[in-house]
Amino acid sequence: MERLLSIIILLLNRRMVQAKELAERFEVSVRTIYRDIETINGAGIPIITYQGTNGGIGLAEGYRLDRNVLTNDELAAIVSALRSISASYDNETHQRLVEKIHSVVPPADSEAFQHKSSRVLIDYSPWDGNEQLRPKLELLENAVDHCLIAEFVYSNADGEMSHRIVEPHRLILKGKQWYLQAYCLEKEQFRLFKLKRMKDLEIVQGKTFIRRKVPILTRTSDQPPSEPYQTTEFVLRFQAEARHLAEEWFGIEALCPEEDGNWLVRKAYPENEWLYRFILGLGHLAEVLEPPHLRAIIADRAEQIAKKYREAKST
């Protein structure tokens, strides 16, 4: 039965396949494959054999797999994935699909199915929800679906503002942040724009575009194509009481104990404003040991912060 189902799924995904290839894949004889085909035909699934040099075995044109062929475990996996997606990207279509899947589960299996589909939930949404981003997501989703040109004011990582007119191709949730992968008409290339950095987002009325081949993700719009992707290796010392903080950010395997109870972490990240802010955000619980130039930068910025507070206190 497992081989029969595997043959059906394979034929659903490919227009035609040769009996010899199926025999090699399942380690049986070609005669066994033809017997399997007869069994599948007898079950009401129309399989056609095409003769000739380019012939083979294929499903009848237009045939689709009935949803009841999926097992309860497979359906539960689909529901779990849909719920995880909906946690960060709510969509009515997802909710309707979840309801449809529940409707095909036998009542006797309902409790077990509910348990299996609720074991894991992957939720990247913030605790306060995505209410500020929701209007942008809805507008851009419509633009992607209907090939509509969009425009907005964008602020890059250095705070520089620019007006962008783009062809929206894909919405991406990466690293807990929403991005738009779009073709920038000014730069004449694909860029990745963070939704939180957009304002005055609108659809350009009366203008559409023809979809382009979307490239593999490599960088954001804050990293120009000519900018190399360089990282800086650094060493942080965490105080003993801050072990939980180090584990949360870097994982327990990255921690190296010292004799005095402190912990060392060695990592390599791109050196930019984000890294400086991240280290400063650790406060007095972490100290940069290496490299010297990074230690000096953090020390200088910490001194500037302290100076502001001292001045505020004196006034």
Side-chain angles (χ1 to χ4, degrees):
M1 287 302 297
E2 183 179 351
R3 186 174 71 248
L4 296 179
L5 183 57
S6 297
I7 291 174
I8 295 170
I9 294 174
L10 184 65
L11 294 177
L12 281 166
N13 293 316
R14 295 173 58 178
R15 191 183 69 84
M16 192 183 305
V17 63
Q18 294 187 348
K20 182 181 178 181
E21 181 182 345
L22 291 174
E24 292 175 351
R25 177 186 288 264
F26 298 108
E27 299 180 349
V28 296
S29 67
V30 172
R31 176 177 292 183
T32 298
I33 291 298
Y34 279 116
R35 284 202 297 265
D36 288 343
I37 297 305
E38 292 177 3
T39 301
I40 294 172
N41 265 321
I45 299 176
I47 296 182
I48 300 175
T49 302
Y50 300 90
Q51 303 298 325
T53 305
N54 297 320
I57 300 168
L59 288 173
E61 191 70 26
Y63 180 80
R64 292 293 181 271
L65 185 66
D66 189 285
R67 62 187 178 185
N68 289 320
V69 173
L70 297 173
T71 67
N72 282 352
D73 285 349
E74 292 166 337
L75 291 172
I78 294 173
V79 170
S80 180
L82 287 171
R83 284 175 174 165
S84 294
I85 293 172
S86 298
S88 301
Y89 178 57
D90 196 15
N91 187 294
E92 290 185 5
T93 303
H94 299 163
Q95 300 300 327
R96 289 197 298 268
L97 181 54
V98 169
E99 292 176 3
K100 287 181 179 180
I101 292 175
H102 275 284
S103 70
V104 302
V105 176
D109 300 333
S110 180
E111 184 175 347
F113 181 82
Q114 184 66 30
H115 169 69
K116 289 179 180 179
S117 62
S118 303
R119 288 179 297 183
V120 177
L121 178 66
I122 302 171
D123 185 358
Y124 281 117
S125 64
W127 288 106
D128 58 354
N130 278 323
E131 294 306 317
Q132 293 182 340
L133 288 179
R134 194 177 301 278
K136 293 180 182 178
L137 286 169
E138 293 176 353
L139 188 147
L140 290 172
E141 181 184 19
N142 180 58
V144 171
D145 287 345
H146 298 94
C147 298
L148 304 176
I149 302 289
E151 63 177 337
F152 50 87
V153 175
Y154 193 71
S155 174
N156 65 16
D158 297 324
E160 299 170 345
M161 309 291 288
S162 60
H163 179 253
R164 301 298 184 100
I165 301 178
V166 303
E167 299 172 354
H169 279 73
R170 181 185 295 162
L171 285 165
I172 300 169
L173 178 61
K174 185 177 180 64
K176 302 182 182 180
Q177 296 290 338
W178 276 104
Y179 295 87
L180 171 69
Q181 190 174 15
Y183 185 84
C184 180
L185 297 180
E186 178 188 354
K187 304 296 184 181
E188 296 186 344
Q189 58 184 272
F190 274 92
R191 293 292 181 91
L192 202 61
F193 301 96
K194 186 181 290 187
L195 265 63
K196 284 187 175 181
R197 297 186 181 275
M198 294 180 182
K199 72 174 184 177
D200 301 331
L201 175 63
E202 295 180 348
I203 297 298
V204 178
Q205 298 300 320
K207 289 189 177 182
T208 59
F209 64 91
I210 299 174
R211 296 189 189 279
R212 304 172 188 263
K213 184 178 180 180
V214 182
I216 298 174
L217 293 178
T218 56
R219 56 178 66 85
T220 71
S221 63
D222 298 335
Q223 296 173 298
S226 59
E227 180 182 339
Y229 186 78
Q230 296 180 340
T231 60
T232 295
E233 186 176 87
F234 57 91
V235 178
L236 291 178
R237 173 187 285 147
F238 283 85
Q239 295 182 16
E241 63 269 24
R243 174 177 175 171
H244 67 286
L245 189 62
E247 291 177 353
E248 180 179 344
W249 278 107
F250 303 105
I252 191 171
E253 296 86 358
L255 274 63
C256 180
E258 291 189 299
E259 293 181 358
D260 58 2
N262 294 330
W263 301 89
L264 296 183
V265 172
R266 183 180 297 272
K267 281 291 179 178
Y269 284 168
E271 186 173 342
N272 51 30
E273 285 296 324
W274 181 90
L275 179 60
Y276 304 149
R277 290 194 295 266
F278 168 72
I279 295 176
L280 286 168
L282 297 173
H284 69 286
L285 297 174
E287 175 189 359
V288 177
L289 300 184
E290 300 175 12
H293 82 273
L294 181 59
R295 179 180 174 90
I297 291 173
I298 300 302
D300 179 66
R301 297 195 175 200
E303 177 58 33
Q304 292 180 40
I305 294 173
K307 182 180 179 181
K308 286 184 180 294
Y309 282 94
R310 285 195 294 266
E311 291 174 350
K313 185 177 181 179
S314 63
T315 57

